[in-house]
Amino acid sequence: MISFEIPPEIDKRLEFVRRIAREQMRPQARHFDEHEHEVPWDFINLMWDAALKTGQSFRSGTSRPDEGPSFVSTALVHVIESLSWGDAGIYLCGPGAGLGGAAIEATGTKEQKERFLARYREGKPKWASMAMTEPQCGSDTAAIRTTAVRDGNEWVLNGEKIFVTSGHKSLMDSEGLSVIWATVDPTAGRAGIKPFVVEAGTPGLTVTKLEQKMGIRASDTASIVLQDCRIPLDNLLGSAEIVDRTKGFKGAMATFDATRPSVAASALGIARASIELLKDLLEQEGVTIRYRTPRNLLSAIERDVVDMEGQLRAAWLLTLKAVWLMDQRRANTIESSTCKVKAGDVVTKVTQKAVELMGPLGYSRKLLLEKWMRDAKINDLFEGTGQINRLIIARRLLGYTSAQLK
Ligand SMILES: Cc1cc2nc3c(=O)[nH]c(=O)nc-3n(C[C@H](O)[C@H](O)[C@H](O)COP(=O)(O)OP(=O)(O)OC[C@H]3O[C@@H](n4cnc5c(N)ncnc54)[C@H](O)[C@@H]3O)c2cc1C
Protein backbone atom coordinates (compact mmCIF):
# COMPACT_ATOMS: atom_id res chain seq x y z
CA MET A 1 0.00 0.00 0.00
CA ILE A 2 1.24 3.49 -0.80
CA SER A 3 1.79 5.51 2.36
CA PHE A 4 2.25 9.25 2.58
CA GLU A 5 3.81 9.07 6.06
CA ILE A 6 7.59 9.54 6.25
CA PRO A 7 9.05 6.12 7.19
CA PRO A 8 11.02 6.40 10.49
CA GLU A 9 14.30 5.37 8.78
CA ILE A 10 13.95 8.27 6.35
CA ASP A 11 12.89 10.69 9.06
CA LYS A 12 16.07 9.96 10.98
CA ARG A 13 18.21 10.63 7.93
CA LEU A 14 16.30 13.84 7.36
CA GLU A 15 17.33 15.24 10.75
CA PHE A 16 20.89 15.66 9.44
CA VAL A 17 19.75 17.02 6.08
CA ARG A 18 17.36 19.53 7.64
CA ARG A 19 20.11 20.80 9.91
CA ILE A 20 22.47 21.32 6.96
CA ALA A 21 19.70 23.06 5.04
CA ARG A 22 18.91 25.38 7.95
CA GLU A 23 22.35 26.07 9.34
CA GLN A 24 24.62 25.91 6.31
CA MET A 25 22.72 26.30 3.06
CA ARG A 26 20.16 28.96 3.92
CA PRO A 27 22.70 31.38 5.47
CA GLN A 28 24.95 31.04 2.38
CA ALA A 29 22.18 31.20 -0.21
CA ARG A 30 22.52 34.91 -0.99
CA HIS A 31 26.31 34.76 -1.13
CA PHE A 32 26.40 32.04 -3.78
CA ASP A 33 23.61 33.76 -5.71
CA GLU A 34 25.70 36.93 -5.86
CA HIS A 35 29.00 35.13 -6.54
CA GLU A 36 28.07 32.98 -9.49
CA HIS A 37 30.65 30.26 -10.30
CA GLU A 38 32.13 30.35 -6.78
CA VAL A 39 32.04 26.72 -5.59
CA PRO A 40 30.47 25.92 -2.16
CA TRP A 41 33.26 23.56 -1.14
CA ASP A 42 32.28 23.49 2.58
CA PHE A 43 28.88 22.13 1.68
CA ILE A 44 30.31 19.75 -0.92
CA ASN A 45 32.88 18.24 1.46
CA LEU A 46 30.34 17.90 4.24
CA MET A 47 27.83 16.08 2.01
CA TRP A 48 30.50 13.90 0.46
CA ASP A 49 31.85 12.81 3.87
CA ALA A 50 28.32 12.10 5.07
CA ALA A 51 27.58 10.05 1.94
CA LEU A 52 30.76 8.00 2.39
CA LYS A 53 30.02 7.42 6.08
CA THR A 54 26.41 6.37 5.60
CA GLY A 55 26.88 4.69 2.22
CA GLN A 56 23.88 6.66 0.94
CA SER A 57 24.13 9.25 -1.78
CA PHE A 58 22.32 12.57 -1.39
CA ARG A 59 21.99 12.82 -5.19
CA SER A 60 20.28 10.33 -7.50
CA GLY A 61 22.29 7.75 -9.41
CA THR A 62 24.16 5.57 -6.99
CA SER A 63 21.34 3.91 -5.18
CA ARG A 64 21.81 0.17 -5.43
CA PRO A 65 18.35 -1.40 -5.16
CA ASP A 66 19.83 -4.82 -4.38
CA GLU A 67 21.43 -3.36 -1.25
CA GLY A 68 19.10 -0.68 -0.04
CA PRO A 69 15.62 -0.71 1.45
CA SER A 70 12.63 -0.69 -0.86
CA PHE A 71 12.14 3.06 -0.57
CA VAL A 72 15.44 4.30 -2.04
CA SER A 73 13.74 6.82 -4.34
CA THR A 74 11.23 7.88 -1.71
CA ALA A 75 14.06 8.62 0.70
CA LEU A 76 15.88 10.58 -1.97
CA VAL A 77 12.97 12.92 -2.81
CA HIS A 78 12.54 13.74 0.88
CA VAL A 79 16.24 14.56 1.09
CA ILE A 80 16.16 16.66 -2.09
CA GLU A 81 13.06 18.56 -0.95
CA SER A 82 14.74 19.41 2.36
CA LEU A 83 18.04 20.44 0.76
CA SER A 84 16.26 22.62 -1.79
CA TRP A 85 14.33 24.26 1.04
CA GLY A 86 17.84 25.30 2.18
CA ASP A 87 18.94 26.38 -1.29
CA ALA A 88 18.21 24.77 -4.65
CA GLY A 89 21.35 26.13 -6.35
CA ILE A 90 23.65 24.85 -3.62
CA TYR A 91 21.79 21.53 -3.57
CA LEU A 92 22.58 21.13 -7.29
CA CYS A 93 26.29 21.48 -6.43
CA GLY A 94 26.05 18.43 -4.19
CA PRO A 95 28.58 15.77 -5.12
CA GLY A 96 27.53 12.38 -6.42
CA ALA A 97 26.52 10.70 -9.62
CA GLY A 98 23.36 12.81 -10.14
CA LEU A 99 21.82 12.88 -13.60
CA GLY A 100 24.81 11.17 -15.26
CA GLY A 101 24.56 8.36 -12.72
CA ALA A 102 20.84 7.99 -13.37
CA ALA A 103 21.59 7.56 -17.09
CA ILE A 104 24.17 4.86 -16.27
CA GLU A 105 21.72 3.11 -13.94
CA ALA A 106 19.02 3.23 -16.62
CA THR A 107 21.08 2.13 -19.62
CA GLY A 108 24.31 0.45 -18.48
CA THR A 109 25.10 -3.21 -17.98
CA LYS A 110 25.88 -4.56 -14.50
CA GLU A 111 29.59 -4.39 -15.28
CA GLN A 112 29.32 -0.79 -16.56
CA LYS A 113 27.39 0.33 -13.49
CA GLU A 114 30.13 -1.02 -11.25
CA ARG A 115 32.96 0.33 -13.43
CA PHE A 116 31.56 3.86 -13.71
CA LEU A 117 29.73 4.30 -10.39
CA ALA A 118 32.14 2.71 -7.87
CA ARG A 119 34.13 5.98 -7.77
CA TYR A 120 31.13 7.73 -6.19
CA ARG A 121 31.54 5.62 -3.08
CA GLU A 122 35.20 6.44 -2.37
CA GLY A 123 37.98 9.03 -2.49
CA LYS A 124 37.41 12.74 -3.13
CA PRO A 125 34.11 14.39 -4.17
CA LYS A 126 33.08 13.63 -7.74
CA TRP A 127 30.21 14.44 -10.06
CA ALA A 128 28.61 12.92 -13.16
CA SER A 129 26.78 15.08 -15.69
CA MET A 130 24.55 14.20 -18.62
CA ALA A 131 24.78 16.08 -21.91
CA MET A 132 21.93 15.88 -24.35
CA THR A 133 21.17 19.48 -25.34
CA GLU A 134 22.98 21.04 -28.33
CA PRO A 135 22.85 24.48 -29.95
CA GLN A 136 20.21 23.29 -32.44
CA CYS A 137 18.48 20.72 -30.23
CA GLY A 138 16.73 20.73 -26.88
CA SER A 139 13.20 19.40 -26.75
CA ASP A 140 13.58 17.89 -30.21
CA THR A 141 16.13 15.24 -29.30
CA ALA A 142 15.95 13.70 -32.78
CA ALA A 143 17.99 16.72 -33.89
CA ILE A 144 21.10 15.63 -31.93
CA ARG A 145 24.09 16.17 -34.24
CA THR A 146 26.97 14.93 -32.06
CA THR A 147 28.32 11.86 -33.79
CA ALA A 148 29.97 8.68 -32.53
CA VAL A 149 31.91 6.80 -35.19
CA ARG A 150 33.52 3.45 -34.53
CA ASP A 151 37.24 3.25 -35.29
CA GLY A 152 38.71 -0.13 -34.34
CA ASN A 153 38.43 -0.53 -30.57
CA GLU A 154 37.32 3.04 -30.00
CA TRP A 155 34.43 5.43 -30.52
CA VAL A 156 35.34 8.84 -31.91
CA LEU A 157 33.00 11.60 -30.72
CA ASN A 158 32.53 14.99 -32.41
CA GLY A 159 30.03 17.71 -31.54
CA GLU A 160 28.99 20.40 -29.09
CA LYS A 161 26.86 20.16 -25.95
CA ILE A 162 25.37 23.13 -24.12
CA PHE A 163 23.65 23.77 -20.78
CA VAL A 164 25.23 20.81 -19.03
CA THR A 165 24.45 20.91 -15.30
CA SER A 166 27.63 20.18 -13.28
CA GLY A 167 29.54 19.97 -16.57
CA HIS A 168 32.51 21.79 -15.04
CA LYS A 169 32.42 19.90 -11.74
CA SER A 170 32.16 16.50 -13.42
CA LEU A 171 34.90 17.09 -15.98
CA MET A 172 37.23 19.75 -14.56
CA ASP A 173 36.86 19.80 -10.76
CA SER A 174 36.84 16.04 -10.18
CA GLU A 175 37.69 12.64 -11.55
CA GLY A 176 34.11 12.35 -12.72
CA LEU A 177 32.46 11.70 -16.05
CA SER A 178 29.77 12.87 -18.41
CA VAL A 179 27.20 10.78 -20.25
CA ILE A 180 27.15 12.20 -23.78
CA TRP A 181 24.22 11.39 -26.07
CA ALA A 182 25.43 11.02 -29.67
CA THR A 183 24.16 9.44 -32.85
CA VAL A 184 25.74 6.33 -34.34
CA ASP A 185 23.57 6.77 -37.45
CA PRO A 186 22.29 10.27 -38.32
CA THR A 187 19.72 8.76 -40.72
CA ALA A 188 18.06 6.76 -37.93
CA GLY A 189 16.60 9.69 -35.93
CA ARG A 190 16.09 9.03 -32.22
CA ALA A 191 16.74 5.30 -32.65
CA GLY A 192 20.35 6.05 -33.57
CA ILE A 193 21.06 8.13 -30.47
CA LYS A 194 23.08 6.33 -27.77
CA PRO A 195 24.68 7.25 -24.43
CA PHE A 196 28.50 7.27 -24.17
CA VAL A 197 30.58 7.74 -21.04
CA VAL A 198 33.39 10.24 -21.40
CA GLU A 199 35.75 10.41 -18.44
CA ALA A 200 37.26 13.64 -17.07
CA GLY A 201 40.64 14.30 -18.66
CA THR A 202 39.87 12.50 -21.93
CA PRO A 203 41.79 14.26 -24.76
CA GLY A 204 39.46 15.92 -27.26
CA LEU A 205 36.93 17.02 -24.63
CA THR A 206 36.95 20.70 -23.61
CA VAL A 207 34.69 22.63 -21.27
CA THR A 208 34.35 25.88 -23.18
CA LYS A 209 31.94 28.08 -21.24
CA LEU A 210 30.02 28.60 -18.00
CA GLU A 211 26.53 30.12 -18.36
CA GLN A 212 25.48 33.21 -16.43
CA LYS A 213 21.95 32.52 -15.30
CA MET A 214 18.80 34.04 -13.84
CA GLY A 215 18.42 31.50 -11.02
CA ILE A 216 20.14 28.51 -9.38
CA ARG A 217 23.29 30.56 -9.90
CA ALA A 218 25.39 28.43 -7.53
CA SER A 219 24.99 25.50 -9.93
CA ASP A 220 27.46 25.32 -12.83
CA THR A 221 25.95 25.03 -16.30
CA ALA A 222 28.63 24.37 -18.90
CA SER A 223 29.21 24.02 -22.63
CA ILE A 224 31.33 21.11 -23.86
CA VAL A 225 33.08 20.63 -27.18
CA LEU A 226 34.10 17.16 -28.38
CA GLN A 227 36.73 17.14 -31.08
CA ASP A 228 37.94 13.72 -32.22
CA CYS A 229 37.39 12.58 -28.65
CA ARG A 230 38.34 8.90 -28.45
CA ILE A 231 36.82 6.60 -25.84
CA PRO A 232 36.95 2.82 -25.37
CA LEU A 233 34.37 0.75 -27.22
CA ASP A 234 32.76 -0.45 -24.01
CA ASN A 235 32.05 3.12 -22.87
CA LEU A 236 28.89 2.92 -24.96
CA LEU A 237 26.13 2.21 -22.46
CA GLY A 238 24.11 -0.74 -23.67
CA SER A 239 24.22 -1.80 -27.30
CA ALA A 240 25.11 0.04 -30.53
CA GLU A 241 22.53 -1.98 -32.41
CA ILE A 242 19.52 -0.13 -33.81
CA VAL A 243 16.79 -2.68 -33.20
CA ASP A 244 13.75 -0.75 -34.44
CA ARG A 245 14.20 2.46 -36.45
CA THR A 246 10.65 3.61 -35.57
CA LYS A 247 11.32 3.54 -31.81
CA GLY A 248 12.67 6.45 -29.81
CA PHE A 249 15.56 6.13 -27.43
CA LYS A 250 14.21 4.26 -24.46
CA GLY A 251 17.31 4.84 -22.33
CA ALA A 252 16.68 8.58 -22.18
CA MET A 253 13.06 8.04 -21.18
CA ALA A 254 14.09 5.57 -18.47
CA THR A 255 16.61 8.11 -17.16
CA PHE A 256 14.03 10.87 -16.98
CA ASP A 257 11.39 8.58 -15.43
CA ALA A 258 13.88 8.18 -12.59
CA THR A 259 14.99 11.79 -12.27
CA ARG A 260 11.88 13.91 -12.95
CA PRO A 261 10.47 13.26 -9.45
CA SER A 262 13.78 14.59 -8.07
CA VAL A 263 13.30 17.81 -10.05
CA ALA A 264 9.73 18.00 -8.71
CA ALA A 265 11.01 17.51 -5.16
CA SER A 266 13.57 20.27 -5.57
CA ALA A 267 10.87 22.60 -6.92
CA LEU A 268 8.64 21.84 -3.96
CA GLY A 269 11.43 22.52 -1.46
CA ILE A 270 11.64 26.05 -2.92
CA ALA A 271 7.85 26.42 -2.85
CA ARG A 272 7.66 25.33 0.80
CA ALA A 273 10.44 27.76 1.74
CA SER A 274 8.50 30.62 0.10
CA ILE A 275 5.21 29.79 1.78
CA GLU A 276 6.81 29.40 5.20
CA LEU A 277 8.63 32.72 4.97
CA LEU A 278 5.51 34.42 3.62
CA LYS A 279 3.44 33.13 6.53
CA ASP A 280 6.07 34.26 9.06
CA LEU A 281 6.14 37.75 7.54
CA LEU A 282 2.36 37.95 7.45
CA GLU A 283 2.18 36.87 11.06
CA GLN A 284 4.59 39.65 12.00
CA GLU A 285 2.05 42.01 10.40
CA GLY A 286 -0.77 40.46 12.42
CA VAL A 287 -2.20 38.30 9.63
CA THR A 288 -2.75 34.70 10.66
CA ILE A 289 -4.46 32.14 8.47
CA ARG A 290 -7.80 31.04 9.91
CA TYR A 291 -7.81 27.50 8.53
CA ARG A 292 -11.10 26.45 10.07
CA THR A 293 -13.01 29.47 8.77
CA PRO A 294 -15.31 29.04 5.72
CA ARG A 295 -13.58 30.15 2.55
CA ASN A 296 -16.08 32.94 1.82
CA LEU A 297 -15.21 34.55 5.17
CA LEU A 298 -11.44 34.50 4.59
CA SER A 299 -9.55 37.60 3.49
CA ALA A 300 -8.06 37.59 -0.02
CA ILE A 301 -4.56 37.03 1.42
CA GLU A 302 -5.73 34.11 3.54
CA ARG A 303 -7.39 32.51 0.49
CA ASP A 304 -4.19 32.96 -1.50
CA VAL A 305 -2.08 31.28 1.19
CA VAL A 306 -4.53 28.39 1.61
CA ASP A 307 -4.53 27.87 -2.17
CA MET A 308 -0.73 27.94 -2.29
CA GLU A 309 -0.53 25.31 0.45
CA GLY A 310 -3.16 23.15 -1.25
CA GLN A 311 -1.28 23.26 -4.54
CA LEU A 312 1.99 22.42 -2.80
CA ARG A 313 0.40 19.44 -1.08
CA ALA A 314 -1.15 18.17 -4.33
CA ALA A 315 2.17 18.35 -6.17
CA TRP A 316 3.99 16.63 -3.32
CA LEU A 317 1.49 13.74 -3.25
CA LEU A 318 1.95 13.29 -7.02
CA THR A 319 5.72 13.20 -6.47
CA LEU A 320 5.44 10.58 -3.73
CA LYS A 321 3.24 8.45 -6.00
CA ALA A 322 5.81 8.63 -8.83
CA VAL A 323 8.69 7.52 -6.58
CA TRP A 324 6.61 4.90 -4.80
CA LEU A 325 5.99 3.27 -8.19
CA MET A 326 9.73 3.40 -8.85
CA ASP A 327 10.52 1.76 -5.55
CA GLN A 328 8.02 -0.97 -6.47
CA ARG A 329 9.91 -1.38 -9.80
CA ARG A 330 6.75 -0.38 -11.65
CA ALA A 331 6.39 1.83 -14.74
CA ASN A 332 5.99 5.49 -13.77
CA THR A 333 6.36 7.52 -16.97
CA ILE A 334 2.97 9.22 -16.65
CA GLU A 335 3.33 9.86 -12.92
CA SER A 336 6.91 11.06 -13.29
CA SER A 337 6.03 13.60 -15.97
CA THR A 338 2.81 14.57 -14.16
CA CYS A 339 4.54 15.39 -10.89
CA LYS A 340 7.21 17.40 -12.70
CA VAL A 341 4.65 19.41 -14.66
CA LYS A 342 2.60 20.08 -11.55
CA ALA A 343 5.60 20.94 -9.37
CA GLY A 344 7.03 23.22 -12.07
CA ASP A 345 3.72 25.08 -12.28
CA VAL A 346 3.24 25.23 -8.53
CA VAL A 347 6.70 26.53 -7.68
CA THR A 348 6.53 29.16 -10.43
CA LYS A 349 3.14 30.44 -9.27
CA VAL A 350 3.76 30.13 -5.52
CA THR A 351 7.05 32.01 -5.55
CA GLN A 352 5.60 34.73 -7.79
CA LYS A 353 2.58 35.08 -5.51
CA ALA A 354 4.80 35.30 -2.42
CA VAL A 355 6.73 38.18 -4.00
CA GLU A 356 3.46 39.83 -5.02
CA LEU A 357 1.87 39.54 -1.58
CA MET A 358 4.90 41.08 0.15
CA GLY A 359 4.88 44.04 -2.25
CA PRO A 360 8.16 46.00 -2.50
CA LEU A 361 9.68 43.90 0.28
CA GLY A 362 9.09 40.81 -1.83
CA TYR A 363 10.91 42.46 -4.72
CA SER A 364 13.79 43.58 -2.53
CA ARG A 365 17.02 41.60 -2.27
CA LYS A 366 16.74 41.98 1.50
CA LEU A 367 14.64 38.81 1.48
CA LEU A 368 15.14 35.57 -0.41
CA LEU A 369 11.64 35.65 -1.92
CA GLU A 370 12.83 37.31 -5.14
CA LYS A 371 15.68 34.79 -5.41
CA TRP A 372 13.33 31.86 -4.96
CA MET A 373 11.15 33.29 -7.73
CA ARG A 374 14.22 33.25 -10.01
CA ASP A 375 15.32 29.80 -8.82
CA ALA A 376 11.84 28.39 -9.42
CA LYS A 377 11.57 28.70 -13.19
CA ILE A 378 14.26 26.18 -14.11
CA ASN A 379 12.09 23.37 -12.77
CA ASP A 380 9.65 24.01 -15.59
CA LEU A 381 12.49 23.96 -18.10
CA PHE A 382 15.18 21.32 -17.65
CA GLU A 383 14.60 17.57 -17.94
CA GLY A 384 11.73 18.32 -20.32
CA THR A 385 9.83 21.60 -20.37
CA GLY A 386 6.25 21.76 -19.08
CA GLN A 387 4.96 21.52 -22.65
CA ILE A 388 7.10 18.48 -23.47
CA ASN A 389 6.07 16.64 -20.32
CA ARG A 390 2.41 17.38 -21.12
CA LEU A 391 3.02 15.85 -24.56
CA ILE A 392 4.57 12.74 -22.97
CA ILE A 393 1.55 12.33 -20.68
CA ALA A 394 -0.90 12.82 -23.56
CA ARG A 395 0.92 10.29 -25.75
CA ARG A 396 0.85 7.68 -23.00
CA LEU A 397 -2.80 8.26 -22.13
CA LEU A 398 -3.99 8.30 -25.75
CA GLY A 399 -1.63 5.64 -27.07
CA TYR A 400 0.12 7.84 -29.65
CA THR A 401 3.77 7.64 -30.66
CA SER A 402 5.99 10.74 -30.68
CA ALA A 403 5.63 10.82 -34.48
CA GLN A 404 1.82 10.85 -34.21
CA LEU A 405 1.57 13.53 -31.51
CA LYS A 406 4.20 16.28 -31.58
C1 LIG B 1 20.12 25.83 -16.10
C2 LIG B 1 19.92 24.77 -17.12
C3 LIG B 1 20.47 23.51 -16.91
C4 LIG B 1 20.34 22.51 -17.87
N1 LIG B 1 20.92 21.29 -17.67
C5 LIG B 1 20.94 20.38 -18.68
C6 LIG B 1 21.70 19.17 -18.56
O1 LIG B 1 22.30 18.87 -17.54
N2 LIG B 1 21.76 18.35 -19.65
C7 LIG B 1 21.10 18.63 -20.81
O2 LIG B 1 21.20 17.84 -21.76
N3 LIG B 1 20.35 19.77 -20.94
C8 LIG B 1 20.27 20.64 -19.92
N4 LIG B 1 19.55 21.80 -20.04
C9 LIG B 1 18.84 22.07 -21.29
C10 LIG B 1 17.33 21.92 -21.15
O3 LIG B 1 17.00 20.57 -20.93
C11 LIG B 1 16.71 22.47 -22.45
O4 LIG B 1 16.89 23.86 -22.42
C12 LIG B 1 15.25 22.12 -22.56
O5 LIG B 1 15.12 20.76 -22.85
C13 LIG B 1 14.55 22.92 -23.67
O6 LIG B 1 15.24 22.80 -24.86
P1 LIG B 1 15.59 24.12 -25.71
O7 LIG B 1 16.33 25.03 -24.82
O8 LIG B 1 16.23 23.74 -26.99
O9 LIG B 1 14.20 24.80 -26.02
P2 LIG B 1 13.20 24.42 -27.19
O10 LIG B 1 13.07 22.96 -27.35
O11 LIG B 1 13.58 25.22 -28.39
O12 LIG B 1 11.85 24.97 -26.59
C14 LIG B 1 11.51 26.37 -26.55
C15 LIG B 1 10.05 26.45 -26.15
O13 LIG B 1 9.20 25.76 -27.09
C16 LIG B 1 8.42 24.77 -26.45
N5 LIG B 1 8.28 23.60 -27.30
C17 LIG B 1 9.27 22.93 -27.94
N6 LIG B 1 8.76 21.88 -28.63
C18 LIG B 1 7.42 21.89 -28.40
C19 LIG B 1 6.32 21.06 -28.82
N7 LIG B 1 6.52 20.01 -29.60
N8 LIG B 1 5.07 21.37 -28.40
C20 LIG B 1 4.85 22.43 -27.58
N9 LIG B 1 5.86 23.26 -27.16
C21 LIG B 1 7.11 22.99 -27.55
C22 LIG B 1 9.22 24.42 -25.19
O14 LIG B 1 8.39 23.87 -24.20
C23 LIG B 1 9.77 25.78 -24.78
O15 LIG B 1 8.81 26.51 -24.09
C24 LIG B 1 19.62 22.79 -19.07
C25 LIG B 1 19.05 24.06 -19.27
C26 LIG B 1 19.21 25.04 -18.32
C27 LIG B 1 18.60 26.38 -18.58
Side-chain angles (χ1 to χ4, degrees), residues 295-316:
R295 190 174 168 85
N296 62 320
L297 298 179
L298 294 177
S299 67
I301 289 182
E302 284 174 289
R303 270 201 301 271
D304 278 340
V305 173
V306 168
D307 286 347
M308 289 156 90
E309 290 184 314
Q311 291 298 320
L312 173 65
R313 185 87 181 135
W316 183 235

Side-chain angles (χ1 to χ4, degrees), residues 25 27-38 87 89-90 213-219 365 367-368 370-372 374-375:
M25 300 171 87
Q28 295 190 341
R30 180 60 78 188
H31 175 87
F32 286 104
D33 180 52
E34 288 183 347
H35 298 80
E36 197 171 11
H37 305 152
E38 201 176 296
D87 188 74
I90 298 176
K213 305 194 296 293
M214 174 173 96
I216 54 159
R217 287 158 59 90
S219 164
R365 291 167 88 87
L367 298 179
L368 287 169
E370 62 79 30
K371 175 185 180 301
W372 290 331
R374 290 185 282 111
D375 287 346

Side-chain angles (χ1 to χ4, degrees), residues 92-130:
L92 281 167
C93 297
L99 186 55
I104 293 170
E105 290 277 5
T107 60
T109 62
K110 203 167 174 223
E111 180 278 321
Q112 287 175 321
K113 287 179 199 177
E114 193 50 36
R115 178 154 48 102
F116 294 126
L117 297 179
R119 74 192 68 187
Y120 298 98
R121 299 190 286 270
E122 62 193 26
K124 291 185 181 167
K126 297 174 198 75
W127 291 262
S129 54
M130 184 177 97

